Amino acid sequence: MCPAENKISVFYKVNLLYPVNDLEDFKPIANAYLAVKEGKIIEVGSGKGYEKYPEANFISLEGKIIVPGFIDAHTHLVYAGSREKEMIRKLAGESYLDILKSGGGILNTVKETREASFGELYSKAEATLDRMLAFGITTVETKSGYGLDFETEIKQLEVVKALNEKHPLTLVSTFMGAHALPDSYKDKREEYLELMKEVLKVVRTRNLASFCDIFCEEGVFSISESKDFLEFAKELGFGVKIHADEMTPLGGAALAVELKATSAEHLLASRDEDLRKLGKSDTIAVLLPLTSFYLDKPFGNARKMIDYGCNVAIASDYNPGSSPSENLQLAMQLAVLKMKMTPKEVLKAVTINAAKAIGLEDTKGSLVPGKDADFVVLDCPNLDYFFYRFGINLVEKVYIKGKKVT
Ligand code: IZC
Ligand code: ZN
């Protein structure tokens, strides 16, 4: 039953296949098939074209929809503990930033993450990845930033490296040592960022991350601190990302454009002129509707961003403080129901645009020859149905590099 590695597999009789081939208005292929060899797509076709592969291993997906594997381009995967007590504080009127200022929030998770062993962090993150996979996510970006010291930042990134080797999901690591200022550096901001630059050099030498991100926010890191830190990261060869204008319009989106950042993320409070600049750039706008939902904040203005020319990605922001959920499908549904994106725009936002947001557009994010055969079989009669039947898991099967993983 187990086909030899080099044998061709043909997934056929597919009701509708959405290639998401980066066209403005990509069309689904009806009565489609997908031919895969050595984990890569070799052909996408329709009708009886698959008859040219008589020796192949045939897998019928009769009546099903196929879409590219979902890519979650913004998560904080590796941490210890949970923060449900803060949910109660928020309900009583405290804001996310108030809680952080009082030594809670991120700093709470930092305390627990520092105390956790490698094995504990690994097991918790592994269970999270299993849930993500079940929701159809085949690639995940994940940020460090719950160590805020040399040892724990490296420990988090080592956990990601080990998981990437073991778990079928593909992981992309981002260094985010500039996630908050630890208590011990309260009056030594510059010294802290210098320390993180030293950590960044080690991260580079050990090849533990591809990107560097910073929480550019009032009460966290300023525009000038972010600019200096990310310029340093760029010089070392990292791609850069910014947690930009999540709560306050500091100008993070404009800074992302200035730095030619790969992505600007959150963008709830961005100034109109900054979004216009973003629309003229190659920087991907990563929007996080689960965070808006959970913190009871307005949703990102995706329609305006798309009108301005932005390439929008949608991600979960999975983290213990502002988005304790790995349900990217719900994020996609909120993007349609609350942000008024079209189903096709959202599909693009979690596939090809999300791939661009993490630098993997050459191998992931669409079903075209040459790319990895990462795809999801949906239990839906059509794409609109996926957005209409919200809040449940609509994924039936998940394939990574042509192999069934759920
Ligand atoms: O743990 O609160 N926004 N960082 C910036 C987060 C949310 C994660 C957290
Ligand atoms: Zn985040």
Side-chain angles (χ1 to χ4, degrees), residues 67-72 130-139 169 326 328-329 350 375-378 393 395-399 406:
V67 294
F70 300 143
I71 297 174
D72 195 339
D130 289 346
R131 281 189 292 273
M132 288 178 164
L133 197 61
F135 278 121
I137 298 168
T138 52
T139 299
L169 246 148
E326 45 280 87
L328 184 64
Q329 292 181 40
V350 295
F375 61 93
V376 169
V377 180
L378 298 179
N393 189 357
V395 163
E396 197 174 287
K397 295 188 187 101
V398 181
Y399 288 86
T406 64

Side-chain angles (χ1 to χ4, degrees), residues 74 76 79 83 86 96 100 105-107 109 145-146 176 179 215 243 246-247 266 291 295 317-323:
H74 180 142
H76 304 251
Y79 65 89
R83 308 219 304 254
E86 290 171 16
Y96 175 89
L100 178 59
I106 295 171
L107 298 176
T109 305
Y146 292 125
M176 202 177 171
H179 191 195
F215 193 8
H243 274 61
E246 178 177 356
M247 336 255 170
H266 285 289
T291 311
L295 294 183
D317 195 18
Y318 170 77
N319 77 75
S322 60
S323 182

